[in-house]
Amino acid sequence: MSDWVSLFSGGKDSSWALYRALEEGLDVSRLLTVHPAGDSYMYHTPATHLAELAAESVGIDLVEVEPDDFGADDVDDAGAQGDAEVEPMEAVLRELAGTAGIDLAGVTAGAVESEFQTDRIRAMCDRLGIDLFAPLWGEDPVELAEAMFEAGFDIRIVQVAAYGLDESWIGRRYDADALDELLDLREAYGVHPLGEGGEFETFVVDGPHMDRRIDLSYRTVWEGDRGHLEVTEATLE
């Protein structure tokens, strides 16, 4: 059977792509997490260290990539920056494709609207001669959120950076009530209901694709107009 690799941060979008791939019967044999040392144009950065626990709960082997700081906080050419950030991921996938016993068929990705990310991942897949499974791409964000809730995803907001999102959102469950408020904030401030513009980031602590729930203890870090949770302990229940 052909092997699939799920590009995975532990956040809701990559987790949904993984879940949908499993539902479609794709043989996902690896999860791949990139841990940027600083800011990134291509990757989800908050709480990626929790991907190991999530992978254990999902029951799929995790491959981790820890590139040097991309220097994304001081960039003149965003396109060149994005291309450079793909390189460590592509190198690992190329290595996996050459591993005995692995027949790499494709990768899953959780991109919703970002052509910047999707175009680069698709180009990478073309270079590797593999397929891309991107089940969120082009879908209605509200319908996607509702599908996640209906499937039983327990999603927590781990970082916020947008007008209208105050400290009370950090650690909050992303559910139907939160979505309703976000839709109001979309009208007032343009907040994307899935946080697609980086307005908020998430982590999935439980879902139908996971065997054990992840229990988080944390403290809140607030920096005036943005903030995140700092995990002090994370365990599988």
Side-chain angles (χ1 to χ4, degrees), residues 125-209:
C125 290
D126 289 344
R127 290 191 295 270
L128 294 170
I130 60 177
D131 293 328
L132 172 62
F133 180 72
L136 295 85
W137 180 249
E139 297 297 318
D140 179 86
V142 175
E143 292 179 4
L144 278 172
E146 290 171 344
M148 293 177 192
F149 307 152
E150 186 175 348
F153 272 50
D154 188 341
I155 305 164
R156 301 303 164 123
I157 294 173
V158 298
Q159 179 172 297
V160 298
Y163 288 118
L165 297 179
D166 60 20
E167 188 173 358
S168 69
W169 284 85
I170 301 173
R172 180 173 174 178
R173 183 168 181 169
Y174 179 68
D175 56 13
D177 289 339
L179 179 61
D180 285 342
E181 291 183 40
L182 287 167
L183 292 177
D184 289 338
L185 291 173
R186 179 169 65 176
E187 293 297 318
Y189 301 106
V191 174
H192 192 282
L194 287 177
E196 180 72 356
E199 294 98 332
F200 63 91
E201 304 282 2
T202 62
F203 182 73
V204 177
V205 298
D206 201 8
H209 59 303

Side-chain angles (χ1 to χ4, degrees), residues 14-71:
S14 67
S15 296
W16 185 250
L18 168 63
Y19 169 71
R20 292 285 295 112
L22 296 173
E23 287 287 288
E24 291 288 326
L26 301 182
D27 185 18
V28 180
S29 62
R30 301 287 192 285
L31 307 181
L32 174 58
T33 301
V34 178
H35 301 282
D39 291 336
S40 170
Y41 276 61
M42 283 295 298
Y43 305 107
H44 168 114
T45 57
T48 59
H49 62 286
L50 298 173
E52 184 177 2
L53 270 184
E56 185 178 343
S57 179
V58 172
I60 298 177
D61 291 342
L62 177 67
V63 178
E64 298 182 271
V65 185
E66 298 189 12
D68 294 334
D69 193 317
F70 290 129

